[in-house]
Each structure stands twice: as C-alpha cells, then as structure tokens.
Amino acid sequence: MGHTRRRAALASGAVGLAAVAWEWPVATGDAVDATQFTIAFFATLLTGEAVIFALSFSSASSWPSLRAIDSHIAFREWVLAGWVAAMFTAGGLLGQSERSTTYGALLFLLANCFGVFSFARLFGLASVGGRNRLLRRTLALGLIELRARQGSLDEELSDDPVVAAYLGALDQVISGNDPNGIRNLVLQLTGMNVPAPANEDAAALHLEVLHRLCRAALVRGTDPVIVVGCAESIVGSLVRQVRALPDPAVVLGATSRYLAWLGSTATLMSQRGIASKRAARELVTLCVDSRRLVLRQADPDPVSVSSSAEMGSVFESPAAMVLWARDFTEFHGSDQAGAFYGVHQFLTGQKFMGNYWDGASVLSETRAVLYGGTDTPPADTPEARASRELFGSVAEFDRFWALVSVNALATLRDVRIPHPPELVRPEFTPDPQLLGAYLRTFASHRWFSDAGAAQRALGVLMVRADGPDSPWSLARARTERSVVRTPAPRSEPQDRPAAMVLAIAARLAPLAPDEPDQELRAFLAGLSVPALEAAARLAARVLPGADGTDDPREAVSRGLRVLQLVGAHTRRAT
Amino acid sequence: MNDEEWVGAVSRIGDPGVRAALVVQCGLDWVRPHRLGLRNAVDEALINAQARGGAPPQITRVLLHNLPAAVGDSPEGEAMARSFAEWNHRLAASAALLSVPAPQVERLIIEGSETGASVADMVDVLVDGRWSDAPRTEAVLRIVSSPGVTTPLTSYDVNLDGPFSDADPSVHM
C-alpha cells in the first residue's frame, strides 16, 4: 500500500518536472552547478544509510529480509530516481540539450527529497520499536499471503518463507540465550493484527512458537522465567483474538490439550532429571493458569470475569463445545471436573446446581435433561434442542462421552512415580481424591448396570464405526481440517483397548464403600485373559492402589476404589 | 437383500435354537459410507448373539481379505480403503477383548485384477441340524475351507496396551 503511493508520487513528480523542464530550460552551466550540490548531498545520504544499515542489521539473519527493509525505506526507488537524473544530465551535456540538462538537475532535487524520506524511515527502523512495527507488519502480510495461497493442507506452516525466516530468527535467539531478542520476537507475534481467515494461521504460529519456547526451557536450559513470561503473553494474545477466529473451538481445544500435555511432560522430565526443577515448576504453573484462562473463555457463566465482554461462551454451537470438551479432558488436564459445569450449561441451557465434590454427577444430569429422566420430561430450551440435534439418539450421547472417557483414561499421568513436591499446584496434585473427581465425571454416567450388559456395551463400543454424522466424527473432521498442529499426538479410542475396558469397568464400579462389586467382578471375569492383564497394567499405571498385586481382577477393583473417595465427607456425617 | 431383511436375518442368529450361523459380507458396498449404518447394525447384532445365555452359536463370517486394485482408481477409493482397514481393526480388537468365543472370520483372498468376490452376500442359520438355504451355504463353506482361499482374522497382533506415548508423553517433546 505504502509503496504504490510512493511510486505514484515519484512518477507524477517526474512527469511534472518534465513539463517544467520543457517549458523553462536553464543554461547548461547553471544546471551543471546545481547538479554539483545535489549530487554531493545524494552521496552524503547514501553514505549515511550505508553506515546505519551496517550497524543495525546483521547480514546473517534474514529477519527482517532485505526485501522487507527495502520496501519500507524506498531505497530502490530513490536510487532509481538518482540514476535517471544522472542519465538525463549527462545525456544533455553530451548532446548539448538544455532541456535534458535541466530535467536532470530537477530530477536530482526530487531524488534528494526521496532520499531524506528514506533516511528518516531508516532511522525509524534503527530503533527497536520501529523494527518491531515493521516485522509485525511483515509477518501479518506473510500470513495473509500464505492463507491466500494455501493449496493443500500438506504444506506446513514453516514452508512459507516469511514464517520460516521468523522461526529461524527465533531459534537463533534461543540458542544465543538472548532474552531481549526472545521478548522482541514474541512482541512482534502478539502485536500482529491479522484479519480472518488468516488468523487461523496466526493462531497456529502462536502455538508453534509456544512449543519452541517451552521445549527450549525444558531441554536447552533457556531461562524459564523469560520463557514463561513470553508464553503467558502468547496465550493471552491467542485468547484475545479467539472470538475473531473462524473456528475457535479447534484452536482453544488444541491449546488446552497442548498445555495439559506440557504439564505432564514437564513433570515426567523433571522426575527423570532431564529438565531442571525450576523449568518444570514454571511450566507447570503456566499450564495450570493458562488452562484456567481458556476455561473462562469456553464457560458460558465463568467463575470470575473482568468485564462484561467476557460473559458468555466464545462457542456458537454444541458441536464446538463438545469438540473443546473432548480436547480439554485429555492428558490429565487440570480443572477438567469443574469444566463440565460449563459444558452442562451450554448443552442444556440450565445451570447445574449440584457439587461434584459431594459426588453429584454432571453428565447424568445432562443426559436426564436432554433425554428425560425417571420423572422428568426432556427440556425444551433452544440449547437443549440444538444439543439433541447434534447427538441424535441417547445412544450416540452415551457413546460420545464413553469415547471421551477412553481418551481421558489412557492419557492420565503415571501414579507410580512420586510427584515432586515443588510441582504441586491447585488442581495439579497427586491427591487421589482429585483423580477420583476427574474419573467420577465419567464413571457416574451409566446406562447399564449388570455385567452382561457391560460386556455387550464394551463389544459395541469397539466394533461400531462412527458414521460421518456422529459427533465424534464431526469433531475429528474439524480438527483434521484445520492448520493448527501440536506435538501432542492424537490417537483414536479403538487403538486403546485397555482404556476401553477400564472405561466400561469404571461405569460398573461401586461409587460408595458399602455398595457391592460383584457386577464389576463378573464383568472382569468375562474378559479374555490378555485383555484383563492389559487393563490391569493400565490400572496399575494410572490408578493409585492398583499396583502391587498379582491378580489382575483385584488390581482393577482396587484401583477403581479411587472413585469412592469423592463424597466421603457427606457420608461421614451419617 | 435390503436393509430390513439383513437386520431381521442377523437378529435371528441370537434365537435359542440356533447352533451355527454363516454371514457373508464380501460386497464392496460394505465399505461405502451409505451402508455404514447397516454394517454397524449387523456387527452389533452379532455381538448380542454372541453374548446370549447358554451355548453361544458358532458364527462363521466371510469378509474380503483385500480390496480389488480397481478400487484404488476410483475417487472414493482412499476412503473405502480406510474404512476397510478400520473395520478389520475393530473386528480383531473386539474379538481380543471378550472371552466368549468370537465369530470365526474368514478373509477371502481375491486377485488384484478381479473386480469383486466370487461369493454373494448372504446370511444363514443352522437350526435342528439343517441350514435354511443348504445348497448355497454348503457351497460357500466348501469354498472357504479349501486351502489357500482364505486366511483367518487374528487378534494376537492387536496392541491391547495402546500407543507408547500414552505411557510416556515426553517421547514427542
């Protein structure tokens, strides 16, 4: 935009001066004398620009690229004007044409005006603020062009030259351990103003930069305080622009999932001694706080808001909400039990009045409101109608949340490794009661009550393929269509048979200490031996108390007793 | 057979008097999306029949071992191949999970140049020692028991534990 105006101004100036030179040519001697002054100034400007250029920009870095700098300071136009002026002056002297010499001298004046403009712009670039502004604009334009060009999804974000230059500069400042460099690069990223639909590529770039910084803190030993400060601003910038995105659910889901994976990975790497405890501690804090921030965007009635703009959820359809809920519960994500209050309110239009710490079941309540309970008819709010349209039958509703629980169970943290005390945060503790609360969200959602029905439910859960209209396939298709990619891997529930067994077993396990468990034992007896052993291995890994016994049935039963810890305080009084 | 006939025929397998059953699903339509609902219904009915009280029936299923090469040339070929692979994986995994004897799945090998299977889709049940459509059923059983024509669907290679990164998420850092 800027340089078309500049070129237009240059061209019109040249044409206007041609008319002036034609009308009023001056004597050759005067023209040549005038040219001597203007050429001296031209040379001064050129020398000055060269000096500032050499001092401010390193030749090794392609960020900013020479083309970006040139289009900002109009260097080429200026030198071109000077060349044309010199040609006309020399041609006029050789060919004895006064008009030509005059035109050349006038063009030199125009070139000098341009030169001062270019010099002023270069001075602007020499400061950090000016450079950040230029790079912000370059990156934004690069992303817009990438989105316009986007042919196939196979083309990765880092294939684009502008983005590749930016990421290369980021890698360089990370290896050089340059805190100001890191901060400036992140400022350029978060200050960008990218219109839809290119802001999806911007969001993908945010997550890529977040991952590189966190990996640097864990593996390379970059100062974790700086990394976390930058990461917080990245997440804040993502959350600010989420309403303008074409598909906020996918981006928020990928972010929450990545943060949960990061927390698990940081804990694991700290336990093994690969990452320093300082870095792990900072990253775990980041992960918990950022997930809470994301939850506030998704929740239609959050616990605390700072302005009325934050009221209401950013999602516009139940498909978006269940996609986000599917991603939010993976990798032992913090705050996942409380997130279901928001899910229930979004799906049904009514607030959930119970308390999950007392053992109340949110998903059962959602099921009863949407499809009718024992004495209540299905609700008729617009949200409930939209949710019923998404899920179809109650069997699809049950299936969707069963699949979500399979993924949640499979990606829980390993309980056998002791949780370091410095990594304990609210909602990120080894407390078995917290794990019990997270599991009870799914385990209290029951649609069968005896072992035979459970075995049939397990068989159907595995053998049934999700049709293209099912909520699970819709969510998967939306996620695969987007350009947002995170390193946390995705697996389908049918690749996790042991977790499927545990998901069904959890829905048979007794929820209170005095309830009988023979249905659970009968169900486990009806499994094949390899499947039972795989389920026991998984239970030993993720459920406290399941390790340390050889009998696989006993291991699973003991592990599932963690569900009974929640609501214990309500029973003690009686 | 249309959809209702299929569902009716397959749900009869769960009846108490049925000793054995044969289900042939070798048509290419079974991996197309418009038949997915029926395919799911047939699989669920077979699970219910397996889980019935008393002695479960001995079910023989005949599926394709591989899709014909011509499928890859059609525009929906990739989706069909994915659906076929997912179906086989789900059948193998569900057979690995339960201790009730799973249906014996014979996978019919077809040459790449052939356009389809030589056996037609059908469902048949054995009641009181008699097949209801004896000539066709016995012909199919003869075909699938000749050596080299089929391989059984095995479950020993189903990874019951799930992907490695579930146990150790840091491998992807």
Side-chain angles (χ1 to χ4, degrees):
Chain A
M1 211 27 149
H3 58 249
T4 23
R5 265 204 308 254
R6 283 200 298 263
R7 285 192 190 143
L10 187 60
S12 54
V15 166
L17 288 177
V20 169
W22 194 265
E23 285 301 305
W24 304 285
V26 298
T28 316
D30 296 333
V32 171
D33 291 340
T35 313
Q36 280 176 337
F37 287 108
T38 48
I39 268 202
F41 191 62
F42 191 90
T44 315
L45 280 180
L46 198 56
T47 317
E49 286 216 354
V51 167
I52 298 180
F53 207 91
L55 288 178
S56 316
F57 299 105
S58 123
S59 59
S61 88
S62 55
W63 186 256
S65 67
L66 271 186
R67 176 190 282 208
I69 300 175
D70 165 62
S71 71
H72 185 73
I73 63 177
F75 188 75
R76 270 187 290 187
E77 286 94 339
W78 173 44
V79 172
L80 182 72
W83 169 61
V84 173
M87 289 294 112
F88 270 105
T89 316
L93 285 174
L94 285 175
Q96 255 108 39
S97 158
E98 283 186 354
R99 289 200 173 96
S100 181
T101 337
T102 321
Y103 187 46
L106 287 172
L107 265 190
F108 261 119
L109 284 178
L110 181 65
N112 275 347
C113 294
F114 238 73
V116 171
F117 164 77
S118 174
F119 198 70
R121 291 289 277 249
L122 183 63
F123 247 108
L125 272 194
S127 77
V128 167
R131 187 156 43 202
N132 280 349
R133 270 197 300 276
L134 166 68
L135 292 171
R136 213 159 50 214
R137 226 172 19 238
T138 313
L139 194 57
L141 283 175
L143 285 171
I144 294 175
E145 216 181 274
L146 171 67
R147 173 51 58 139
R149 247 194 1 239
Q150 199 128 41
S152 67
L153 273 177
D154 292 341
E155 188 183 287
E156 277 199 25
L157 193 64
S158 46
D159 284 344
D160 178 58
V162 173
V163 175
Y166 176 76
L167 291 175
L170 183 68
D171 283 338
Q172 199 168 21
V173 295
I174 288 178
S175 341
N177 240 325
D178 178 10
N180 274 329
I182 299 179
R183 250 187 241 122
N184 280 331
L185 281 171
V186 168
L187 258 177
Q188 289 156 20
L189 179 72
T190 56
M192 270 196 312
N193 202 345
V194 186
N199 51 7
E200 200 181 352
D201 294 282
L205 187 59
H206 274 75
L207 284 176
E208 173 67 28
V209 171
L210 179 64
H211 174 61
R212 286 189 190 216
L213 286 176
C214 296
R215 184 172 62 188
L218 282 178
V219 176
R220 271 173 161 168
T222 312
D223 188 358
V225 175
I226 295 188
V227 161
V228 163
C230 294
E232 276 171 6
S233 62
I234 293 179
V235 174
S237 153
L238 254 181
V239 155
R240 260 197 317 271
Q241 25 169 291
V242 83
R243 274 170 211 266
L245 282 168
D247 198 351
V250 171
V251 171
L252 282 184
T255 310
S256 351
R257 201 167 164 272
Y258 174 74
L259 288 168
W261 173 81
L262 183 67
S264 292
T265 304
T267 313
L268 206 56
M269 290 173 88
S270 158
Q271 285 158 350
R272 290 186 180 154
I274 306 175
S276 70
K277 294 186 197 241
R278 296 185 304 136
R281 182 180 176 278
E282 295 295 320
L283 286 180
V284 159
T285 315
L286 166 77
C287 137
V288 173
D289 291 342
S290 302
R291 276 178 64 99
R292 216 163 267 169
L293 185 61
V294 168
L295 173 59
R296 280 222 304 262
Q297 306 305 308
D299 196 335
D301 193 3
V303 166
S304 68
V305 285
S306 44
S307 72
S308 60
E310 281 189 15
M311 286 290 292
S313 172
V314 297
F315 304 138
E316 73 299 328
S317 68
M321 177 51 110
V322 300
L323 191 159
W324 171 79
R326 176 196 71 150
D327 284 345
F328 197 73
T329 50
E330 276 198 58
F331 289 110
H332 207 145
S334 56
D335 290 305
Q336 59 176 273
F340 275 89
Y341 284 128
V343 173
H344 175 86
Q345 186 170 354
F346 194 95
L347 289 181
T348 59
Q350 300 171 357
K351 257 189 114 54
F352 180 69
M353 289 306 183
N355 184 353
Y356 68 83
W357 276 117
D358 290 341
S361 169
V362 185
L363 276 179
S364 306
E365 180 73 19
T366 314
R367 188 176 194 262
V369 168
L370 288 183
Y371 293 101
T374 39
D375 352 293
T376 51
D380 203 26
T381 58
E383 293 94 346
R385 279 197 294 271
S387 306
R388 273 193 290 267
E389 201 183 303
L390 167 72
F391 285 113
S393 64
V394 67
E396 280 292 333
F397 176 88
D398 292 332
R399 182 186 169 80
F400 180 81
W401 294 111
L403 293 174
V404 171
S405 69
V406 170
N407 278 350
L409 268 165
T411 48
L412 289 174
R413 283 196 294 272
D414 195 327
V415 293
R416 295 170 300 196
I417 311 179
H419 191 112
E422 70 271 7
L423 293 185
V424 169
R425 313 252 353 140
E427 297 274 339
F428 198 87
T429 71
D431 184 8
Q433 207 174 3
L434 184 67
L435 177 62
Y438 288 173
L439 285 183
R440 222 179 140 107
T441 316
F442 300 114
S444 52
H445 167 223
R446 300 176 167 203
W447 61 97
F448 48 81
S449 49
D450 65 282
Q455 280 171 9
R456 278 196 301 277
L458 175 63
V460 169
L461 192 62
M462 178 56 93
V463 105
R464 193 185 161 89
D466 295 289
D469 290 333
S470 68
W472 187 263
S473 292
L474 288 173
R476 186 175 61 202
R478 260 168 97 153
T479 311
E480 283 175 2
R481 255 204 314 265
S482 94
V483 290
V484 173
R485 297 264 181 277
T486 56
R490 283 192 191 267
S491 285
E492 290 293 307
Q494 66 260 25
D495 294 327
R496 295 170 159 152
M500 253 195 209
V501 170
L502 262 195
I504 300 284
R507 288 170 164 85
L508 269 188
L511 290 175
D514 45 359
E515 284 176 17
D517 65 349
Q518 57 257 40
E519 293 299 335
L520 174 64
R521 289 185 183 269
F523 167 70
L524 294 174
L527 296 173
S528 69
V529 171
L532 183 57
E533 286 175 354
R537 276 197 296 272
L538 178 64
R541 190 179 90 218
V542 304
L543 297 176
D547 205 10
T549 169
D550 279 336
D551 180 15
R553 258 181 277 171
E554 187 58 34
V556 175
S557 301
R558 263 201 231 165
L560 288 175
R561 274 186 216 148
V562 76
L563 294 168
Q564 298 168 10
L565 293 174
V566 178
H569 57 275
T570 55
R571 288 189 292 270
R572 237 180 280 134
T574 53
Chain B
M1 287 168 58
N2 66 9
D3 290 9
E4 289 92 36
E5 288 172 11
W6 264 103
V7 175
V10 177
S11 43
R12 268 206 303 280
I13 299 181
D15 291 346
V18 172
R19 286 277 73 115
L22 171 71
V23 182
V24 179
Q25 285 173 290
C26 289
L28 287 178
D29 263 356
W30 289 105
V31 291
R32 292 202 168 100
H34 68 97
R35 263 207 147 179
L36 185 64
L38 180 61
R39 190 179 99 195
N40 282 337
V42 169
D43 289 333
E44 278 182 48
L46 287 172
I47 297 248
N48 289 334
Q50 240 183 297
R52 75 161 189 217
Q58 194 183 347
I59 308 176
T60 308
R61 294 181 77 165
V62 181
L63 304 178
L64 283 178
H65 168 270
N66 55 298
L67 296 177
V71 166
D73 299 335
S74 66
E76 34 171 33
E78 201 186 307
M80 283 169 72
R82 257 200 315 255
S83 174
F84 182 67
E86 189 190 341
W87 192 21
N88 280 348
H89 173 72
R90 284 183 183 274
L91 286 178
S94 64
L97 284 179
L98 298 173
S99 68
V100 243
Q104 185 187 345
V105 180
E106 301 286 352
R107 298 158 68 211
L108 189 70
I109 305 176
I110 57 177
E111 303 282 324
S113 51
E114 287 181 42
T115 47
S118 48
V119 287
D121 292 350
M122 58 173 292
V123 181
D124 204 3
V125 292
L126 179 73
V127 182
D128 296 333
R130 270 196 338 269
W131 293 101
S132 35
D133 189 359
R136 271 209 305 172
T137 307
E138 276 162 19
V140 170
L141 287 174
R142 249 198 322 274
I143 292 177
V144 301
S145 46
S146 2
V149 176
T150 62
T151 72
L153 182 72
T154 51
S155 312
Y156 63 80
D157 47 357
V158 171
N159 186 1
L160 287 173
D161 288 319
F164 182 74
S165 54
D166 285 355
D168 185 358
S170 68
V171 293
H172 287 272
M173 173 54 82

